[in-house]
Amino acid sequence: MTMPTPNEQVLLKKQKNDLLAALQINGFSRGDFILTENEHSTSLNHRMTQYFFTVGVGEGSVMELTGACRTFRYSILSSPGRDRFRETHHYWDWNDVVRGFHDWVTCLTTELNTSDLWSTASGDTQLLKMASDQDNRPFTPEEQIQIREALDRIKWVLSKCYALAGPRLETIEARLSYLQECVTRMGRKDFVHITIGILVNTRELFQCAGHHLEPFLRSLTDPTRSTE
């Protein structure tokens, strides 16, 4: 990622560090997000889903429901929201932005850990179609790192956010570790087939983590994907 020049940034390094600290406190890593900046805003985009949190800087005012006029210096556009897919908020103080960011991370965690019951029924078919569409090129070293990090994230989700523990969790973690080893020696198509077999034969893994892994695999195995 090209580093922005000072006049292309809207947040101080300390402010961006505040946001990173909030992510780490909630179990995320820097690699889970893409940071983009320009002279108007700073955005954090979640790699696996493209959910986002955007901070825009510029003074303005909004009319409250009470009829009062409130001024602000920070405009926030985020997804997911607490009650809507996208929400907008305005703040005057940076500490309020940080509190709003913590709230967004909570909303993001909830959304990531909620199974999509509408898509689960067709998930097997979608995965099979995805596998049939791929060639068998090896993953690049950078892609291997990304997949291993994604699988580590799923291990964390299963242990922290779902009622899985003991021998069953150990079995599932062993299967995910096996996938981490496979990615270094298998081509894309073979890897997706192995992943499908593990997901289909481990229903709780598919239901809890399939919506984490499937879009990530799709982004890596899509032959039209940019290889920047």
Side-chain angles (χ1 to χ4, degrees), residues 31-32 47-48 137-155 176-184 186-189 191-192 195 212-213 215-221 225:
D32 291 329
R47 286 183 182 274
M48 292 174 63
R137 289 175 295 127
F139 292 107
T140 67
E142 293 78 13
E143 289 171 335
Q144 292 177 22
I145 291 172
Q146 287 180 299
I147 292 177
R148 287 196 293 269
E149 288 178 348
L151 293 170
D152 281 336
R153 172 67 181 162
I154 291 171
K155 291 180 184 179
L176 292 173
S177 295
Y178 173 70
L179 287 178
Q180 289 178 311
E181 186 269 328
C182 285
V183 76
T184 64
M186 288 186 175
R188 297 163 192 266
K189 190 168 188 174
F191 180 77
V192 173
T195 302
H212 290 270
L213 187 57
F216 184 78
L217 280 175
R218 186 182 300 280
S219 72
L220 289 179
T221 55
R225 192 178 76 96

Side-chain angles (χ1 to χ4, degrees), residues 26-167:
N26 286 276
F28 291 99
S29 71
R30 177 179 175 180
D32 291 329
F33 295 84
I34 300 172
L35 175 70
T36 59
E37 297 180 271
N38 57 43
E39 66 272 23
H40 303 296
S41 65
T42 295
S43 294
L44 280 169
N45 296 278
H46 185 244
R47 286 183 182 274
M48 292 174 63
T49 62
Q50 292 305 299
Y51 287 129
F52 64 88
F53 186 93
T54 299
V55 183
V57 175
E59 293 192 18
S61 61
V62 291
M63 188 70 70
E64 302 280 13
L65 293 177
T66 60
C69 185
R70 179 168 60 88
T71 57
F72 62 85
R73 290 188 297 181
Y74 301 98
S75 300
I76 308 301
L77 177 63
S78 62
S79 176
R82 182 167 294 278
D83 299 309
R84 293 174 293 176
F85 186 74
R86 290 190 180 189
E87 289 185 346
T88 301
H89 299 279
H90 300 92
Y91 304 106
W92 178 262
D93 186 74
W94 173 251
N95 289 330
D96 291 331
V97 175
V98 174
R99 282 189 285 270
F101 185 73
H102 276 279
D103 188 59
W104 173 76
V105 173
T106 298
C107 293
L108 174 64
T109 302
T110 299
E111 190 71 10
L112 292 177
N113 296 336
T114 301
S115 297
D116 186 348
L117 300 181
W118 289 96
S119 64
T120 297
S122 61
D124 294 352
T125 301
Q126 293 172 358
L127 285 170
L128 288 169
K129 183 179 184 302
M130 181 176 66
S132 67
D133 291 341
Q134 307 312 316
D135 58 39
N136 209 32
R137 289 175 295 127
F139 292 107
T140 67
E142 293 78 13
E143 289 171 335
Q144 292 177 22
I145 291 172
Q146 287 180 299
I147 292 177
R148 287 196 293 269
E149 288 178 348
L151 293 170
D152 281 336
R153 172 67 181 162
I154 291 171
K155 291 180 184 179
W156 182 88
V157 168
L158 291 171
S159 63
K160 300 296 184 183
C161 304
Y162 291 91
L164 289 179

Side-chain angles (χ1 to χ4, degrees), residues 158 163-175 202 204:
L158 291 171
L164 289 179
R168 190 54 178 161
L169 177 61
E170 293 174 3
T171 297
I172 293 175
E173 287 182 331
R175 292 176 181 178
T202 315
E204 55 267 77

